Amino acid sequence: EMERRSEPPRPTPTVSPNPAATSTRIQALGTDLSIVDSVTEADDSYESGDFQAALNAYKPLLTMPPVSPGDDKYIERAYFFYGMSQLKLEQWDAAYGSLSAYVKKYPKGERVKEAIYNLGFVSESKGEKDKAIMLYKKVTSLPPTDEFTSKANSEIARLGG
């Protein structure tokens, strides 16, 4: 179902043929592809472990204006998983920037606590132990008490915080 497009090929990382196809299709269709469809496609790549394809697929969503009611929720999801895709690819600085942007843009977002937990993980991965402890402590201070509270408490204990 791939159509030939008359646009010049974009340079893409050589991970698999899939990422190029996914991102080109979304960029080519732009607003023709609903935000929901775009997020679903990006989520499929993320869930199948193709984080480069997911990154390419989430990226255009970050600048899409919400069109229908409910689009905001999907764009919020794209912001979070864009950062998570970078984290999975061990692009620590990029992941930190994206997850921080998510927390700033959506302070009451569904995944704020998870995002802060992962900011702690990224900080630790970058060798910034004190910053990681501070972020994990922030997670434990946020309601409700959930899996991220207990995971953060474990990390604090492990890091001697």
Side-chain angles (χ1 to χ4, degrees), residues 10-160:
R10 287 199 152 85
T12 51
T14 53
V15 178
S16 73
N18 189 20
T22 306
S23 71
T24 312
R25 201 160 95 232
I26 290 178
Q27 283 154 359
L29 294 172
T31 51
D32 301 349
L33 205 57
S34 80
I35 287 175
V36 179
D37 291 341
S38 301
V39 170
T40 302
E41 189 163 332
D43 286 350
D44 288 346
S45 295
Y46 185 90
E47 281 155 25
S48 70
D50 193 343
F51 301 115
Q52 187 60 56
L55 199 60
N56 294 345
Y58 288 122
K59 189 170 186 166
L61 290 157
L62 308 184
T63 52
M64 269 189 199
V67 182
S68 321
D71 280 355
D72 279 331
K73 187 181 70 177
Y74 290 100
I75 293 170
E76 175 187 331
R77 181 177 176 82
Y79 263 89
F80 176 79
F81 281 102
Y82 182 73
M84 288 303 294
S85 298
Q86 291 168 320
L87 180 151
K88 297 286 191 182
L89 293 165
E90 299 187 5
Q91 298 171 356
W92 305 130
D93 292 337
Y96 194 92
S98 297
L99 290 169
S100 295
Y102 169 82
V103 172
K104 283 188 189 81
K105 193 169 169 66
Y106 302 101
K108 301 226 181 304
E110 263 179 59
R111 297 179 180 270
V112 165
K113 198 168 174 178
E114 190 177 351
I116 296 168
Y117 176 85
N118 283 295
L119 285 167
F121 176 83
V122 170
S123 296
E124 192 182 338
S125 301
K126 290 171 63 179
E128 299 169 351
K129 185 177 148 183
D130 292 343
K131 190 177 195 179
I133 291 168
M134 182 196 77
L135 287 158
Y136 290 137
K137 284 184 172 167
K138 171 83 174 146
V139 171
T140 63
S141 73
L142 296 171
T145 300
D146 59 12
E147 61 171 317
F148 294 105
T149 310
S150 50
K151 281 163 92 169
N153 275 319
S154 302
E155 298 304 321
I156 292 163
R158 186 177 56 78
L159 293 171

